[in-house]
Amino acid sequence: MMYRINRIDWTEAGSVWRSLSTGTSHSAPERARRPVSMPDLRIVLIAAGCIAASTIEPALSYPEFQTFSEKSGRTTNCAMCHTNADGPVGERKGQIGKLNEEELARLNKARTALQPGENVDSPILNDFGNYIIKTVGKQKVLEARKNPEMLVEALGPKHDLDDDGIPDAREFKDGTDPLNKFHGDAFALFTHNLSRYRGDVILAVLAVMLVVFGLINLIKALETLTRKTESTE
Amino acid sequence: MKTREALGSFSEFIARRFPVEKMNFHYMVEKKEVPTHKMTWGYYTGGLTLFFFLVQVVTGLLLLFYYQPTVSDAFLSVQYISEHVSCGALIRNMHAWSSSCMIFFAIVHLLTTFAMKAFANPREITWITGVLLLFITFTFGFTGYLLPWNQIAVNATKVGLQSIEEAGAYLPGALAELPRILRETFQGEASVGQSTLGRFYALHVVLLPLALALVLGVHLFSVQLHGMSQGVDLEARKSERFFPIFFSKDLGVWAVAFLALFVLALCLPFESFLPYPLLEPYNPLGSTPAGIKPEWYFFFVYYPLEMLPFWVIMLAMTVLSVGLFLVPWIFKGTTRKTLSFIAVAAAIYLVVMTVFGEQIYHLVKQ
C-alpha cells in the first residue's frame, strides 16, 4: 500500500531516459515494441539516467509522515501531499512515469527548492504538498522525516488551504484531509462552522418557531371551528 | 372443514384488528386520547421516525436532480453536489444525518413499544408492520451506502453481499442455493459494478420507498384505529386529547428535531468521521484500503461477526428476525416489568456494540 522504494527510483530514471532520448513518453508496451536500433546510445542514456537519479533527490512519498498522521487513529495515504493517492512512483496520472517535459521541469525545480519561500508547483504534489515545500523548504522536509512533529511546528497555526477553520498543520497531525473542507476533526469543524453560520442558524430558529406557532394556532382554530359546527348541529 | 374453520378464524382475526365501525374521523382523530404517564415520551418516538423519513424523501428527491447512477459519474456527481450545487452540501448532509436519525429512532421506537407492551392484542398487525418497516429501513441504509461509489461504499457492499452468499453453506438441500441466487440478483454481474449500482439505485429510490409507503400506511392506519396503548401496568389517571393537544406537541418535537438536524447538517459533515482515503473514488484496480466497515447501525451484527463463527451469528439473526415478528404471541403473558428489563438489556447491548465494538474486537483478537 505504501512506497517501499527507499533510495533509487527506477521509474524516475526511466522518465529521465525518456526526456533525454525522444522528448515524448511511451507506454510500456510501446517501448517493448520499438526496435533496438542504437544499443550503445541506449546504454549511455540509461547510465545517464541512473547518474541523474542518484544525484537528484529521489521523488518519494515519505511513509514517516504517513505513520505520524496515522497515530491520530485515522487511516491516511499518500494523497495527503501527493497528486496521486498511490504516491509519486508509477505510470498513472500525477505519477512520475506519466509526466511530460514541462512537468518534469517543474518537478526538478521543486526538488531544488531546498530553502523556504520558493514558488514551487510540483506536478506530483497536491496543493498541500507544494505548500509544505514552499513554506518550509525541501531541506526541512527531509530533516523532519526523523521527527514529523517538527513539520507541524514549522507549518504554523495560521494557514488553512481548504478554509474549514482547521489549520493545515493540525490537519496533518490529525490525519485529516487538508484540502477538503468537509473533512477534519469533528468537534473543531462543528464549532468553527457553528460560529461561521450563526446568522443562518438564528434565522432558521426564528423561521421554524414562526412556522410552528402558525401551525399550532391553525390547528387550534380548526378544532374550535369543528366544535362550533358540532354544537350548532 | 378445517380449511373453512381456519379461514373463518383468520377473517375474524382481521376483522378484530380492523373494525369497520371505528374507521371514521371522529373515532380515529377526535375521540383519540393519549395517556399521560412516566413513559409518555415513548409515544413521540414513532412520530420522530416518521419525521426523519419525510426529511429523507424531500432531500432524496432534491438529490435526484443531480445524482448520476453510473460507475463513471456517481462519485463525481456526489462531489459536484457537495461543492458546486447551491445548498448541495447541506441537502446531502441532511440526507445522510436524517438516515442515521431515522434508524436510531426506529430502534428506540421498537424498544419502547416492546417495553410498553404496545404489541398486545389487538395491535399485533401494528407491531408486525413496524418490524417490517425496520427491515425496510435497514435495507434503505444498505442500498444507499453504495450510491456515492467511493472506496468504503463499494468495498463495504462487497463484504455485505459476500456475507449473504456465505449463509448458503449452512442451509440444507435446495435452500443452500438461495443466498447465492439472492446475491447474484442484487449484484447483477460477476463483481460489484454498474449492474449492482443500477439495481441498488432502483431499490433505493423506487422499490423500497413504495414498499415503505405501503407498509407505513397500514402501520399508521392501525395506530390511529386502535389508539395509543396503555403503556404502563396501572392505567394512567390522566390523558390528553390526540387532536389538537398531542398533535401540537408532536409538531413542537418535530420542530426541535428539524433544528437539531439543520444545525448538525450545516456544521458537521457526516463524512468527517471517516478516514479520508475511504472517501476517495472507488478504484477497481487498487487494493482494498484499511478500515472498511459498514454503517454504525450494522455494528451490532458486524463486530460479533468478526469475533464469532459465521453460523452462530446467522443462527442468532434468524432467531431474532423470526422472533421479532412473533413477539405478540411469544410475550403474550409477560409482564411489562420483564419486557422493560429485556428492552433495557437489548439497548445496552446495542449501545456497547456500536460505541465500543471496535475496542472489544481488538481486545478479543489479542
Side-chain angles (χ1 to χ4, degrees), chain B residues 78-333:
Chain B
V78 171
Q79 203 173 36
Y80 182 79
I81 290 168
S82 296
E83 289 173 13
H84 301 290
V85 176
S86 180
C87 294
L90 175 68
I91 299 295
R92 186 169 169 244
N93 238 344
M94 281 183 91
H95 195 73
W97 276 112
S98 63
S99 72
S100 280
C101 292
M102 182 182 166
I103 290 176
F104 174 79
F105 279 105
I107 294 169
V108 173
H109 185 51
L110 179 105
L111 292 173
T112 48
T113 44
F114 179 81
M116 290 161 81
K117 209 175 179 176
F119 52 77
N121 187 348
R123 296 183 177 85
E124 295 95 333
I125 288 177
T126 320
W127 174 267
I128 290 168
T129 49
V131 175
L132 266 177
L133 285 171
L134 183 74
F135 284 124
I136 295 173
T137 309
F138 276 126
T139 320
F140 258 118
F142 184 61
T143 51
Y145 205 40
L146 179 70
L147 302 188
W149 204 254
N150 51 28
Q151 287 284 13
I152 192 164
V154 181
N155 286 302
T157 305
K158 277 182 179 176
V159 176
L161 289 171
Q162 188 60 43
S163 305
I164 294 176
E165 188 164 340
E166 279 173 29
Y170 303 97
L171 294 174
L175 277 177
E177 285 296 295
L178 188 68
R180 183 186 58 77
I181 295 166
L182 261 178
R183 184 203 167 160
E184 284 175 2
T185 309
F186 281 119
Q187 199 163 287
E189 56 186 298
S191 181
V192 172
Q194 180 56 56
S195 300
T196 324
L197 181 61
R199 286 168 195 214
F200 272 50
Y201 179 69
L203 279 167
H204 194 76
V205 304
V206 182
L207 294 176
L208 289 174
L210 283 175
L212 194 131
L214 189 76
V215 182
L216 184 65
V218 179
H219 187 76
L220 290 178
F221 184 74
S222 190
V223 169
Q224 291 303 108
L225 201 58
H226 297 297
M228 302 300 197
S229 70
Q230 191 179 308
V232 284
D233 283 329
L234 291 172
E235 201 169 331
R237 287 179 190 170
K238 285 196 289 180
S239 68
E240 56 192 15
R241 293 172 64 204
F242 173 76
F243 191 86
I245 297 169
F246 183 81
F247 192 72
S248 301
K249 283 183 182 175
D250 220 3
L251 266 181
V253 173
W254 283 26
V256 173
F258 175 79
L259 283 173
L261 179 69
F262 178 78
V263 173
L264 212 52
L266 192 70
C267 303
L268 186 55
F270 192 77
E271 289 172 339
S272 62
F273 294 99
L274 291 170
Y276 71 83
L278 300 182
L279 305 174
E280 286 166 4
Y282 173 63
N283 175 13
L285 301 174
S287 54
T288 308
I292 296 292
K293 50 187 165 185
E295 281 272 44
W296 65 268
Y297 41 79
F298 289 116
F299 285 0
F300 75 97
V301 61
Y302 170 72
Y303 284 116
L305 202 60
E306 293 284 309
M307 293 183 274
L308 299 167
F310 186 82
W311 69 268
V312 175
I313 304 304
M314 203 187 87
L315 187 70
M317 290 315 292
T318 311
V319 170
L320 181 71
S321 304
V322 175
L324 270 176
F325 282 106
L326 297 177
V327 155
W329 295 277
I330 296 171
F331 296 99
K332 199 175 179 179

Side-chain angles (χ1 to χ4, degrees), chain A residues 74 77 80 183 193 223 227, chain B residues 241 267 272 274 276-277 280:
Chain A
R74 290 187 187 247
N77 66 12
M80 182 172 270
H183 202 259
N193 285 332
E223 203 256 344
R227 281 195 172 188
Chain B
R241 293 172 64 204
C267 303
S272 62
L274 291 170
Y276 71 83
E280 286 166 4

